[in-house]
Amino acid sequence: MVLHDDIDLPLGSIKFSKDSGSGGHKGVDSIIQNLGTKDFMRLKIGVATNDKRAQEVVLEKFQSQNKKS
């Protein structure tokens, strides 16, 4: 099983998938190329917030309202 971030899902949400393309995710694309198949389970973790670019969302620190106490 591969766990990865997904800019198309709301922050903190999760989604399971299997046997799908990379959706433009370079890390997942690399895994597909190295395995020679896209037939594996994935747990996608949402990181989308507002209209920020993917790089900004993935590399920034969590805002206080998004942290659990």
Side-chain angles (χ1 to χ4, degrees):
M1 177 176 286
V2 173
L3 283 72
H4 67 87
D5 58 331
D6 192 322
I7 192 71
D8 295 323
L9 294 175
L11 182 67
S13 63
I14 60 171
K15 179 179 179 181
F16 285 98
S17 69
K18 184 178 187 228
D19 198 24
S20 59
S22 68
H25 192 291
K26 294 183 190 260
V28 174
D29 190 44
S30 176
I31 293 168
I32 292 170
Q33 288 180 8
N34 281 284
L35 291 178
T37 183
K38 59 183 182 174
D39 187 21
F40 54 90
M41 291 294 301
R42 300 175 205 185
L43 174 58
K44 302 176 181 184
I45 302 170
V47 295
T49 59
N50 302 327
D51 293 325
K52 295 181 179 179
R53 295 182 344 198
Q55 182 178 3
E56 292 174 348
V57 171
V58 173
L59 297 178
E60 75 180 4
K61 293 182 179 184
F62 281 104
Q63 298 174 1
S64 60
Q65 68 264 25
N66 295 328
K67 293 180 183 179
K68 286 190 174 184
S69 300

